[in-house]
Structures are given as structure tokens and as C-alpha cells.
Amino acid sequence: MFENARVTRRLTRTICLLLLLIAPRIVAAQSDPLPSWNDGVARQSIVSFIQTVTDRASPQFVPVEQRIATFDNDGTLWAEQPIYFQLAFALDRVRALAPKHPEWKTKQPFKAVLDGDMKAVAASGPKGMMELLLATHTGMTTDEFTKTVVDWIGAAQHPRFKRPYTEVVYQPMVELLAHLHANGFKTYIVSGGTIEFMRPWTERVYGIPPERVVGTTFVTTYKLGTDGKPMLLRQPKIDYVDDGPGKPVSIQKFIGRRPVLAFGNSDGDQQMLQWTAAGAGARLMGLVHHTDDVREWAYDRQSHVGRLDKALDEGKGRGWTIVDMKADWKKVFAFE
Amino acid sequence: MFENARVTRRLTRTICLLLLLIAPRIVAAQSDPLPSWNDGVARQSIVSFIQTVTDRASPQFVPVEQRIATFDNDGTLWAEQPIYFQLAFALDRVRALAPKHPEWKTKQPFKAVLDGDMKAVAASGPKGMMELLLATHTGMTTDEFTKTVVDWIGAAQHPRFKRPYTEVVYQPMVELLAHLHANGFKTYIVSGGTIEFMRPWTERVYGIPPERVVGTTFVTTYKLGTDGKPMLLRQPKIDYVDDGPGKPVSIQKFIGRRPVLAFGNSDGDQQMLQWTAAGAGARLMGLVHHTDDVREWAYDRQSHVGRLDKALDEGKGRGWTIVDMKADWKKVFAFE
């Protein structure tokens, strides 16, 4: 009996020790940080990159303050079809503002928007797009503009998915952002979209706070109101276009450190990925390749929106991580 | 004897309890976060502001993500006499680069710099200053420029104090930055100086990382070298002047949140302080008033460098925290 008790005690102690040893592994296995990613080359390259640069014993260890990761937004973190979501916002704003602008009834491209003639809107080209952008994004204070974004993003629905635009975000990328945050990375958005269209919702949706949102800007001026209250006025003039070669420049201006990881989905991200790749030490350059015409859209070299052509060739040639949306993503959107 | 032992035990227990109760106060008193500040209105307003906004029970509690504090640099965090330190850097660079520019021997304002004729340098006015700035700060890659700053800041000495410029920083302000960091604040530099002149040393000296340095910028362009390596080229053209009304604009662009605390020392900081003051809830607007002509310099309304005139009037009228350097600072520099 006495001997039995001793054996039992020893056994219990051994089991406890073993449990303590394997518990972290069980927990780690249970809490897979990337559950919406299928096992494949893309997932493996991401997981192994993050493991390597956060491992103090690795020669490729990256100190926490240098763990900078930059992400394009349209087509990389959320969808960009059938039109850029910011353009959908601009069109809705034209409709909302039309009563105050009777001249729009006969003036292009506004007339086309009000008539619902999307072909004519598209035909107005870059000049027409810029007119729509300036008419809806400038001529007010920063606070007033933010309010229109907050109101719109809370009410508008994506035409295909019948969901708020903030739900048409890629679940695997949201998981990747969270996994990077958990590993001490500072994530940034570096987008061709305008900064203040994104800031009101990026913290809630991506966990990326306003000060880590970089993008296109309008000239803004400071003014004291008649009541002595200061305001910032958005002027109808582009300050900076944060696209293509503009992205490494804005990364340098806003962040001042070269990213160790960057993700994009189009030729507009090629220079950001080149700049990231050219740094010393371990790097991860990622491209989201839109290959799923059932759950999302399939497009690349021929697309007008988010064309992926030269960057795809460079990425394939240089071993960048090319995410095949159809094969690599178990889930595209959380609502599926 | 027995009774005595019991009394002793009780007494010991009581003393231990008392010690436990007062220990935190002793520790707190020992680790004064602002040892270089004399007790006075300025110190009290700072301490009480930080206590109030970090106290969950206070109606003026500010959540940690909104604890944004912005600081001017020249004359606020480090000295700016006898000339702006960035101008000292530019003059030294002109001397270093002169062998490659024989034409400077006869061309103003370069000739004046090489002759050591500071009167003629000053007489060249804003146009001359800009020429010196462009000739020494642009026309190279960002990496090359950073190297010249790192080399200079490691070797150059302040003419009066015979110390590296990074030691001519205000110890009370360094303590304030550390105290803010310990209380969950994100501090930013928002300076009229150029961003990339500051970034190489602000983390080491102030604990402010590169991504939290906002300032004047030059146009920068992206280029692939003949070896396929990308580079960022600093162009001889000002991109943005981060001074006066430019400061609230750059705060909005880079940070996207209104500061709850802002510190400056000149009229170039007036709009930043107005913008900070106009937000809702508890605010602290601070001005460093240079009143100490023994330990530092005394200057305000009549000064060419760091003129403090309109902002001083507004600050006095609106109850901003005006730091009287002579009276409020026990120590100005750590090396004293």
C-alpha cells in the first residue's frame, strides 16, 4: 500500500512534468494563427519568415524596432472590384451632393454618375475621375470629410456581397496582420487610396491605427475661423500620389525605415517590393494573385483595375511569395 | 519574558505593516520622474496634467491610443544658438565639399562660408540659406545623406560648450519625454528642421524613433541603378516646409490624431499649439521661454532665431504653460 502510494506520487509527478513540457506545443497547435490559409508554399514561406526573423538564435534575427511591414490596401487587404471602393464612395457622394449642384445635371462626368451611366463615367478617363475625386473629397474641413466617410462606411453595401465594404476584407490577410502584430511587427498601409478615406476604419478592421496609414494626400491648409477656432481645409489639389515609384518615397518620408516585409497585388506595388527586397537580411515580398473567379474575381495582366503584369514577372523571377488566392486561401471573406 | 516576546512580535508586525503601507510613497518620492525641474507652476501643471489624463477614474481620462504629444525640436528639445545646429552642419558640409566645387571660391554665399565671414553669410538672407541647404542636403541618395549626418553628429562640437551637439539637449525636456513614454504617450517631433537630419540620432537621444519624426522635406525620387538596385534620390527642391501653419497640417498628415500635449518655443509653434488647444478635453500647451543668459541664452521678442512674440502673448492670455528656463529648470544640460 505504502509502496503503491509512492509509485502513484512519482507517476503523477512525471505526468505533470511531461504536461508542462508539451503544453506550449498543444497550445500553439490549437491556436493556429493562420487558419484561413491552406498549407502550401505561400503559407510556409510566411510562417518560416516570421519564425526566422523573431528567433534570437537566428543569424537573420530582426530587432523588434526594425520589424516594419507595409501593405497595399485595394486588392491586397480588401477587394477592389467591380470598382475601387473609394470610387464607389465618390459616386455616392456625387448623388448625395447633387441637390446643391444643379449644374451637375448637364456637366460631365457628373451627369453620367447621376444618370447611372457607368460606361460614360469610365469614358471620362483619368481627368473625369480626378474631377469626381476633387468634388467629393475636398472643399471642406478634415473633420467634415471624416464624418462623411464614417457615415458612408457604416451604411453602404458592396453590390455583389450585400455586406458593408469593411466586411469585404480578406480574412487570410487580416489573420496575417494579427500574426505580425503578435510578433512585434509594426504594420503600415501604403496605398494609392487617400489617407483620410482609410483612417476612420483601419484600426477597427485591420488593427492598424491612423498614424500607420500612408497614402495619397490633398493639399491642406490651416485657417483660424471667425470664432478663433482653427480648422484644416482640404484644397482641391493633389498633394502627393502614393502609387508605383511614389510608394518607396512615402515609406521613407513617413516611416524612415525600410520594410522587411511588403505585400501588394499590382504593378503599382512593384517599386515598394523592389525597395523592400533590396535591404540586407531576411525579406519577404508578397503578391496577392487574384485567381478565384468563384469566391472573388480572377484578373491580372489585362485588368484595368489592379493590373498585375510586370510585378508578376519580376516576382516569379526573384522568388517573391505569390499567393494564389484560389489554391492558398481556405476562406476569402469571413462571411463565407 | 514571555509577555515581552509577545509585545516585541506585535511591535515588529505593526512596523512591518506600516513599512508596507508607506513603501510605495518612499519609492515614488525616490524616483521623481522630473528631477531637473524646480517646483513651480510649470512643473505642477505638467505633473497634474499627466496624472489627470492617465487616471481611469478621472472624467478627463485619455485612452492610451489618443495620448499623442508633439514637440518642436530647435529651441525646445535642444538649443538653437548661436545658430541652428542644422545650419552648423550645412556650413561644415560646405567646407568638406569645397575641394569638389572650385567655383565656390568666388560664388556667394559659399565664398563667405569658406572665408569664415559669418556676417556675409547672414547677409545672403533666406535665398542664401536655401542655396546652402540645397547644396549640402540634396543631390545624393538618402543612404548617402544619412551617412554624412551620422559622421558629423558623431564628431562635431558645439562652439560654446565644446560638447557633441547631441549633448546640448535640455535635460528637463528629456526627462519629460521619458515621463510621457512611461505613461503611455506617443511622442513626436514636429520640427521646421528637415526630417532626415534628425532621424539618425533622435531615438538614442530622445527615445523618439524615426517613424515619429515629422519635419521639412525635400522632393525625393525613386530610381533603379544600372545594377538594378533601387535608390531614393534627394532632389534640390523643397517638398514641404513644416513651420508655422504647416505644423498642424503635417500633424494631420503624418499622425492623423490631434495632440493632447504640444511643446514649442517660438512663433513657428503657435499654430501647432492653437490646434492642440482647440481639441476637446484636457490639454497642455507648453512654451519654453529662453530666460537664462548664464546657463544658456536669453531671447524672445527681438530674436532672429526662435523669435517668441505673438505665441508668448497668446500663451499668457490663454493660460498655456510657459516654462521660465531660469526659474523652472534646476539643470539645463546634463553635463552641467
Side-chain angles (χ1 to χ4, degrees), chain B:
Chain B
M1 186 62 198
F2 188 70
E3 189 57 23
N4 267 357
R6 228 161 66 183
V7 168
T8 308
R9 270 209 310 277
R10 266 196 207 155
L11 204 65
T12 311
R13 212 158 55 195
T14 310
I15 289 168
C16 282
L17 261 169
L18 275 170
L19 275 172
L20 277 170
L21 281 168
I22 61 168
R25 282 159 202 259
I26 295 171
V27 170
Q30 278 173 340
S31 64
D32 172 7
L34 302 173
S36 302
W37 290 74
N38 285 317
D39 199 22
V41 176
R43 183 195 154 99
Q44 280 159 20
S45 80
I46 290 169
V47 169
S48 119
F49 172 80
I50 295 174
Q51 261 169 5
T52 302
V53 299
T54 56
D55 175 5
R56 292 202 159 269
S58 160
Q60 302 201 294
F61 175 74
V62 174
V64 74
E65 67 273 13
Q66 287 170 31
R67 292 181 203 158
I68 302 291
T70 57
F71 289 80
D72 170 58
N73 186 42
D74 299 305
T76 299
L77 295 180
W78 73 356
E80 58 185 351
Q81 300 283 5
I83 56 172
Y84 288 127
F85 296 179
Q86 187 166 358
L87 182 56
F89 164 75
L91 300 183
D92 280 351
R93 289 300 299 155
V94 166
R95 290 176 201 117
L97 292 167
K100 285 186 190 168
H101 292 272
E103 75 278 12
W104 286 355
K105 281 184 193 154
T106 54
K107 195 185 169 193
Q108 292 295 13
F110 303 96
K111 183 181 182 306
V113 176
L114 299 176
D115 294 347
D117 181 356
M118 289 308 293
K119 254 191 176 167
V121 173
S124 73
K127 199 175 154 280
M129 294 297 133
M130 186 54 71
E131 277 188 78
L132 293 174
L133 210 61
L134 294 179
T136 53
H137 285 64
T138 69
M140 72 286 279
T141 68
T142 49
D143 286 349
E144 286 162 356
F145 179 72
T146 296
K147 193 186 171 313
T148 67
V149 175
V150 169
D151 289 349
W152 182 82
I153 210 93
Q157 290 212 328
H158 188 277
R160 173 172 165 191
F161 299 110
K162 312 292 180 206
R163 297 262 172 181
Y165 284 95
T166 46
E167 289 186 23
V168 190
V169 298
Y170 303 130
Q171 178 61 18
M173 297 305 282
V174 171
E175 290 166 6
L176 173 56
L177 290 172
H179 188 40
L180 289 168
H181 296 157
N183 281 280
F185 278 79
K186 261 197 190 134
T187 58
Y188 285 81
I189 290 175
V190 179
S191 169
T194 71
I195 291 183
E196 303 199 55
F197 176 69
M198 298 181 279
R199 276 186 177 150
W201 49 268
T202 54
E203 188 151 29
R204 175 172 56 86
V205 176
Y206 303 139
I208 299 180
E211 63 269 24
R212 300 211 311 257
V213 176
V214 178
T216 292
T217 46
F218 296 98
V219 171
T220 303
T221 54
Y222 179 83
K223 196 186 154 186
L224 283 184
T226 46
D227 57 355
K229 270 223 161 191
M231 58 183 108
L232 293 173
L233 290 170
R234 295 165 63 85
Q235 304 295 338
K237 196 183 165 194
I238 286 282
D239 170 48
Y240 189 76
V241 176
D242 190 32
D243 198 30
K247 291 199 176 192
V249 172
S250 68
I251 286 170
Q252 179 69 13
K253 190 199 284 193
F254 281 75
I255 312 175
R257 304 194 205 252
R258 197 190 294 247
V260 293
L261 178 153
F263 245 96
N265 78 300
S266 79
D267 285 358
D269 303 311
Q270 188 176 8
Q271 289 84 0
M272 173 167 79
L273 270 56
Q274 288 172 344
W275 180 244
T276 302
R283 306 273 136 183
L284 189 136
M285 284 62 63
L287 282 169
V288 173
H289 191 187
H290 295 262
T291 51
D292 193 327
D293 61 356
V294 175
R295 296 180 299 175
E296 210 240 4
W297 288 269
Y299 59 97
D300 49 28
R301 298 184 194 272
Q302 304 303 321
S303 178
H304 286 291
V305 168
R307 175 175 301 168
L308 177 64
D309 183 29
K310 291 180 189 171
L312 188 59
D313 290 335
E314 179 164 5
K316 283 180 174 172
R318 301 178 68 186
W320 295 352
T321 296
I322 295 164
V323 176
D324 179 337
M325 203 182 248
K326 191 173 179 174
D328 285 323
W329 287 358
K330 209 171 285 177
K331 208 174 217 192
V332 176
F333 304 113
F335 57 74
E336 272 170 28

Side-chain angles (χ1 to χ4, degrees), chain A residues 166-228:
Chain A
T166 46
E167 290 186 22
V168 190
V169 298
Y170 303 130
Q171 180 60 18
M173 297 304 284
V174 171
E175 290 167 7
L176 172 56
L177 291 172
H179 188 40
L180 288 168
H181 296 157
N183 280 279
F185 278 79
K186 260 196 192 139
T187 59
Y188 284 81
I189 290 175
V190 179
S191 170
T194 70
I195 292 183
E196 302 199 57
F197 175 69
M198 298 181 279
R199 276 186 176 150
W201 50 269
T202 55
E203 187 150 31
R204 175 172 56 86
V205 175
Y206 303 139
I208 299 180
E211 63 270 24
R212 299 210 312 256
V213 176
V214 178
T216 292
T217 45
F218 296 98
V219 171
T220 303
T221 53
Y222 179 83
K223 196 186 155 185
L224 282 185
T226 47
D227 57 355

Side-chain angles (χ1 to χ4, degrees), chain A residues 10-81:
Chain A
R10 265 193 207 157
L11 204 67
T12 311
R13 212 159 54 195
T14 310
I15 290 169
C16 282
L17 261 169
L18 275 171
L19 275 173
L20 277 171
L21 280 169
I22 61 168
R25 283 157 201 260
I26 295 171
V27 169
Q30 278 174 342
S31 63
D32 172 9
L34 302 173
S36 302
W37 291 74
N38 286 316
D39 199 22
V41 176
R43 183 197 153 97
Q44 281 159 20
S45 79
I46 291 168
V47 169
S48 117
F49 172 80
I50 296 173
Q51 262 169 4
T52 303
V53 300
T54 57
D55 175 5
R56 291 202 160 268
S58 161
Q60 302 201 293
F61 175 74
V62 174
V64 74
E65 67 274 14
Q66 288 171 31
R67 292 183 203 157
I68 302 291
T70 56
F71 289 81
D72 169 59
N73 186 41
D74 299 305
T76 300
L77 296 180
W78 72 356
E80 58 185 352
Q81 301 282 5

